[in-house]
Amino acid sequence: MLELVLVKLGGSLITDKNQPYTARLETMQKLVTEISLIKQQNPSLKMIIGNGAGSFGHQSAHKYNTINGVFCDADKLGFCLVHQDVLDLNRLLANCFLEAGLPVVSLPPLTMVVTQNKKLVKTDFSVIENSLKAGFIPSIFGDVVLDQVIGGTIISTDSLLVELAKYFHIQGNYQVKLINVGNYRGVYDQNGQVIPEITPANYAQIKAAIGKSESIDVTGGMIQKVEEFLAISDWGIDCWIIDGNIPGNLVEAVLGQATVGTVIRSGEYR
Ligand SMILES: Nc1ncnc2c1ncn2[C@@H]1O[C@H](COP(=O)(O)OP(=O)(O)OP(=O)(O)O)[C@@H](O)[C@H]1O
Ligand SMILES: C=C(C)CCOP(=O)(O)O
C-alpha cells in the first residue's frame, strides 16, 4: 500500500498572526528543508502540502466578513482580495519549495470545491490525484469558494485536508496520515500541558480547555481543528498536531518516530 501524508503548515507558524501580512520566510525554509529530508529518506512517500492563511487571508477575510457570504459588489471585491491574499502567501511558500528543488504545484481550492450554506457539496480532486500520480507535490491552501446559497464563503485548509484524507482513504490503495504543524506544542489541557492523545472516549473531559485562536482567524482555531480531525479518527486516519518550531519534529512525525505533540485517533485501529 502506498503511504500518503497530508501536511498542514499552520498559518500560526509560517506567518506572524499578530502582525498583518508578515510571513516567516526562515521558518518556511526550515520546514521545506525537513520535507526535502523526508523525501530523501522515503522517496516513494506521497505528500500533499496545505498551508493556512495566517496573517494574510485571515486579515482580509475578517475585514470583508467573507465567510458569511457574498451579496453585493463590495463583498465580491472582498472575495477577490481574500483570494489574492491566500495566493500571495502560497506563492512565498511555493518559491521556497522550488528553490529547494521540490516539484510543488500550487492548486487553488476555489477551482475544486463548491459549498451550499458553507457545507461542502461538490468536490473535484482529480487535479490533485493526477498531480500526485505524475510525481508532483500538490500544494493547496485555505481559500474562498463559491457557495450556491450565500454566493461565496471560506474553506479552511483543515477542512480540505480532511476531505482529501477521506477521498484517498476510500480508494483503498493509500495509507493516509494527516500532520498539522503549528506554532504550538500540541493541544494543551487546562494546565497548559500537551495532551498526548485525544480519542472519542476522552474528548468530553478535555473539550473545555480547547478554544479559538487568540489572533484574527475566521475559521475557528484549535477547537474546529480538533473536532474535524476527530471526525476522521473513526476511519482509522491518525492526525497529529505538532510543534513546527522543534527541529526534526516534522520529519519524525512523518516517518512515524517519537514526536512532540498530540495525536488524534480512535484508539480502535492500533
Ligand atoms: N487547548 C489549546 N491548545 C492549543 N492551542 C489552542 C488551544 N485553545 C485555543 N488555542 C488557540 O488556537 C490556536 C491555533 O489555531 P489556529 O487556527 O490559529 O492555528 P493554525 O492552523 O496554525 O493557523 P491557520 O488557521 O492560520 O492556518 C493557538 O495558537 C491558540 O491561540
Ligand atoms: C482565510 C482564509 C481565506 C482561509 C483560511 O484557511 P486556514 O488558515 O487554513 O483556516
Side-chain angles (χ1 to χ4, degrees):
M1 198 177 290
L2 289 170
E3 249 187 294
L4 172 66
V5 180
L6 311 176
V7 178
K8 155 110 188 246
L9 301 179
S12 63
L13 183 66
I14 62 168
T15 73
D16 181 343
K17 259 179 112 155
N18 296 320
Q19 297 294 331
Y21 301 98
T22 307
R24 291 193 173 124
L25 276 176
E26 252 182 52
T27 304
M28 288 184 191
Q29 283 157 351
K30 280 187 200 155
L31 292 163
V32 168
T33 303
E34 293 209 20
I35 291 167
S36 292
L37 263 172
I38 292 164
K39 292 298 277 181
Q40 279 164 27
Q41 291 189 28
N42 190 348
S44 64
L45 179 90
K46 299 281 184 193
M47 292 182 101
I48 297 173
I49 308 294
N51 72 269
S55 65
F56 283 63
H58 282 290
Q59 290 289 328
S60 43
H62 175 73
K63 179 171 172 187
Y64 296 102
N65 194 21
T66 309
I67 199 161
N68 290 321
V70 172
F71 304 103
C72 61
D73 286 349
D75 293 344
K76 279 184 199 148
L77 192 63
F79 181 96
C80 298
L81 291 168
V82 175
H83 185 56
Q84 288 307 314
D85 282 349
V86 294
L87 290 174
D88 283 349
L89 180 60
N90 177 261
R91 189 178 171 84
L92 293 174
L93 181 65
N95 280 338
C96 295
F97 278 100
L98 298 178
E99 278 162 17
L102 290 173
V104 149
V105 60
S106 295
L107 303 172
L110 168 60
T111 63
M112 304 171 204
V113 303
V114 176
T115 55
Q116 262 178 16
N117 257 330
K118 305 182 186 175
K119 258 184 82 90
L120 263 183
V121 287
K122 277 190 206 154
T123 55
D124 179 355
F125 292 138
S126 55
V127 66
I128 296 187
E129 191 173 351
N130 293 336
S131 305
L132 267 184
K133 282 187 183 146
F136 294 98
I137 302 174
S139 161
I140 59 142
F141 41 87
D143 202 357
V144 290
V145 293
L146 295 168
D147 188 292
Q148 290 172 338
V149 177
I150 59 172
T153 187
I154 302 279
I155 186 150
S156 71
T157 319
D158 300 347
S159 304
L160 289 161
L161 290 177
V162 161
E163 284 308 307
L164 281 165
K166 291 195 268 188
Y167 177 83
F168 285 105
H169 176 84
I170 286 167
Q171 294 186 0
N173 44 357
Y174 287 102
Q175 175 68 42
V176 183
K177 180 154 87 171
L178 201 163
I179 297 172
N180 177 98
V181 196
N183 189 25
Y184 27 77
R185 294 183 79 82
V187 183
Y188 302 121
D189 65 15
Q190 67 277 19
N191 302 315
Q193 301 298 311
V194 174
I195 302 164
E197 184 174 83
I198 298 178
T199 67
N202 72 2
Y203 185 57
Q205 295 138 43
I206 55 187
K207 184 176 176 181
I210 311 173
K212 295 185 174 172
S213 169
E214 280 144 28
S215 312
I216 289 187
D217 183 294
V218 302
T219 49
M222 190 55 82
I223 184 89
Q224 181 79 13
K225 194 186 291 298
V226 169
E227 295 200 346
E228 290 195 89
F229 293 173
L230 257 180
I232 53 168
S233 67
D234 274 346
W235 295 52
I237 301 168
D238 289 355
C239 301
W240 287 85
I241 297 179
I242 66 163
D243 188 344
N245 295 306
I246 300 176
N249 212 26
L250 174 58
V251 178
E252 283 165 6
V254 173
L255 299 179
Q257 295 156 4
T259 309
V260 180
T262 300
V263 63
I264 300 178
R265 61 180 156 213
S266 85
E268 285 171 23
Y269 292 85
R270 271 176 293 160

